[in-house]
Every structure is written in structure tokens, then in C-alpha cells.
Amino acid sequence: MIGPVGVVAVRQWVAACVLVVGVRPRLRGFSAYQWRPVLGLAVVFATMNVSLYAAIDRVGLGLAVTLEFLGPLGWRWRVRGAGRSVLCVGGAGGGRRAHAAAAQ
């Protein structure tokens, strides 16, 4: 097996190749000022994906994806208050309980 870092590396390279073939940007036309946010976003995506795949490797797909989903959703609920996010949080919690019950 190639592990979480290898999976992320393959995903990033495949995505880059597909985008280069599909969009065909003029890479030499970008200045250093334009490359900084592009490379910053690539680092953020790579870090996020390595974290997710490492979590999946350790705790399983269901729990890892649930936690990935509940983090931003909980933050939105805290910042914006109740409303539609209550339904989303309740649905995610119910799904987690159902997954835990099915796993036993």
C-alpha cells in the first residue's frame, strides 16, 4: 500500500494533469505574485487531504468523514446561530448514530 501521503500525491498529480490538458493555461505567463496564491491553495488542499486520508486510515471512513463535515458545520452553527443548520447538525448526528449502531 502507498499510504495516505501517496494517495494524496497521486490525486494531486492526476488533478493537475487533467486541468493542464483540459484548460491548457499559459504557465509561463504567470508572475511570481500570481503564483503565490496558487501554491498556497495547493498546500492547503494537500494538507487537508493528507489529514483526511490519515484519519480514514486510522478510524475508518464513516467517522472521519462525519468529523470532517461536523467541524465546519458546527462552526457555522456557532457563528450564525440556529436556523437551517440545526437540521443539518441533527441529520449528521442521526446519521452518525445509525452508522455506529450498524457497525456493532
Side-chain angles (χ1 to χ4, degrees):
M1 298 294 275
I2 59 174
V5 175
V7 170
V8 170
V10 169
R11 279 192 68 192
Q12 296 282 49
W13 277 106
V14 168
C17 291
V18 167
L19 286 173
V20 165
V21 168
V23 179
R24 296 197 305 178
R26 290 176 295 163
L27 299 177
R28 296 192 199 286
F30 291 149
S31 67
Y33 179 76
Q34 291 170 318
W35 273 110
R36 272 189 220 119
V38 171
L39 296 176
L41 185 62
V43 168
V44 168
F45 278 147
T47 303
M48 180 185 69
N49 283 321
V50 166
S51 300
L52 176 64
Y53 286 117
I56 289 170
D57 191 38
R58 287 172 178 76
V59 299
L61 178 63
L63 180 59
V65 172
T66 300
L67 293 175
E68 180 188 29
F69 177 73
L70 285 178
L73 185 61
W75 179 253
R76 185 196 181 281
W77 189 17
R78 182 175 184 268
V79 171
R80 302 279 306 257
R84 284 186 292 178
S85 56
V86 171
L87 295 174
C88 293
V89 170
R96 179 64 198 130
R97 279 193 206 97
H99 182 269
Q104 290 180 353

